[in-house]
Amino acid sequence: PGHFLQLFQPLKRVTFITNITKEIFVQNSSAVYPKTSMGIRQFCETYDIPYRFSLDFRLWSLLKPIRTIEEKVEQYVTDNDICDITAMHVRKTDLEEGLFHKKRTKIDMFFKWVESQPVNESVYLLTDNPWTQSLFLHKYGTKKIKVYKNISSIESQMSVHDPTKLVLFRNNQTNGNQTRIFPKSHRYTNIEHTMIDILIAAHSRKFRISAFSSLSEYVEFLRRGNRYKWCGRW
């Protein structure tokens, strides 16, 4: 978890509330819209905002990372020559349950992608799944596979819903006499890690997407917009 202003510059005419100020704003608001697709649609209709897929791209263009985030990205991009290597996004965490088998991410396709790159060239891996990250690092080594930072193992992950409990299983299962729940909404990386991953991948020479992923689309959006100054060709 993280607050918008910990990652991005403020937006004009938008006030970002916190857990502390939430109740004050909610009580004095003219309307409160639920955090659902229907709530977003209702909000857009109320304020005459076109509700269609292209809305994502217009909203993405408003996101400007704060300087602290940019400095971390710039340092990593420079130190690891990201502008001269390829990157890939391997999405596994939530895609497996939401799509039919034929549409799920096939790891073998990404193995072939890595192996199709020049032998002495690294590949940057963008993923939010510790199992996927560990798989690629063990198979190809840290010289071939570059990551921003190692993701904590599943066994050491904490539940956002109940920070006092370790999350050991994705679904309800029994570990001895104790049952622990892994919420479907759980993510293995925090928002800062994910955002830095996105920005680093956007600097790559070539990018391999994961199908049906808005995160991959965001990376492609940044690449098309030539948003970053650290690669000489841009």
Side-chain angles (χ1 to χ4, degrees):
H3 195 276
F4 182 93
L5 297 180
Q6 292 176 312
L7 301 172
F8 302 105
Q9 299 175 31
L11 300 178
K12 293 181 180 179
R13 301 171 59 193
V14 176
T15 299
F16 291 91
I17 63 177
T18 66
N19 288 337
I20 297 175
T21 60
K22 177 181 177 181
E23 293 304 320
I24 298 175
F25 278 91
V26 168
Q27 292 175 9
N28 293 280
S29 298
S30 59
V32 177
Y33 297 91
K35 294 183 293 183
T36 62
S37 58
M38 184 60 67
I40 295 174
R41 180 183 292 275
Q42 183 182 2
F43 173 83
C44 290
E45 291 175 351
T46 301
Y47 293 96
D48 196 27
I49 300 173
Y51 184 82
R52 54 180 182 268
F53 186 72
S54 61
L55 179 63
D56 284 346
F57 296 96
R58 287 188 290 153
L59 293 177
W60 286 342
S61 67
L62 299 176
L63 300 178
K64 311 291 183 183
I66 61 175
R67 185 56 191 157
T68 301
I69 299 297
E70 288 191 331
E71 287 174 350
K72 292 179 180 179
V73 174
E74 182 176 4
Q75 186 68 52
Y76 189 94
V77 167
T78 302
D79 291 347
N80 294 277
D81 299 320
I82 299 298
C83 297
D84 296 320
I85 69 174
T86 59
M88 61 183 182
H89 172 216
V90 184
R91 177 186 178 187
K92 293 288 288 182
T93 304
D94 59 336
L95 203 61
E96 298 304 282
E97 296 181 359
L99 292 175
F100 293 111
H101 179 73
K102 291 184 178 180
K103 292 186 177 182
R104 293 175 184 173
T105 300
K106 295 178 174 59
I107 287 291
D108 287 348
M109 295 174 58
F110 291 92
F111 288 161
K112 292 179 181 178
W113 168 265
V114 173
E115 293 162 8
S116 70
Q117 305 309 311
V119 176
N120 296 322
E121 183 178 297
S122 300
V123 175
Y124 185 79
L125 171 63
L126 163 59
T127 184
D128 75 334
N129 190 304
W131 179 86
T132 301
Q133 187 187 75
S134 178
L135 176 65
F136 278 88
L137 289 174
H138 280 87
K139 184 175 177 65
Y140 297 106
T142 56
K143 186 174 181 181
K144 185 66 175 180
I145 300 297
K146 297 293 183 183
V147 297
Y148 173 60
K149 63 171 61 174
N150 290 333
I151 304 172
S152 299
S153 65
I154 295 175
E155 290 76 17
S156 63
Q157 289 278 325
M158 302 296 289
S159 170
V160 174
H161 296 264
D162 186 352
T164 65
K165 293 183 179 179
L166 288 172
V167 177
L168 297 181
F169 302 103
R170 183 159 185 79
N171 299 311
N172 293 359
Q173 297 185 32
T174 300
N175 180 21
N177 296 322
Q178 189 172 20
T179 299
R180 286 179 177 166
I181 299 173
F182 202 147
K184 290 184 178 180
S185 59
H186 182 76
R187 288 294 177 270
Y188 296 97
T189 54
N190 62 30
I191 299 177
E192 178 179 317
H193 184 161
T194 301
M195 194 62 212
I196 290 175
D197 255 349
I198 291 170
L199 296 174
I200 291 173
H203 287 77
S204 61
R205 175 174 58 81
K206 191 175 182 180
F207 180 63
R208 174 71 163 83
I209 69 168
S210 268
F212 311 105
S213 168
S214 57
L215 191 149
S216 280
E217 290 170 356
Y218 186 27
V219 174
E220 287 285 76
F221 169 80
L222 294 174
R223 288 170 53 77
R224 285 195 301 271
N226 297 335
R227 292 283 299 280
Y228 293 96
K229 60 187 178 184
W230 305 303
C231 296
R233 66 183 185 281
W234 291 357

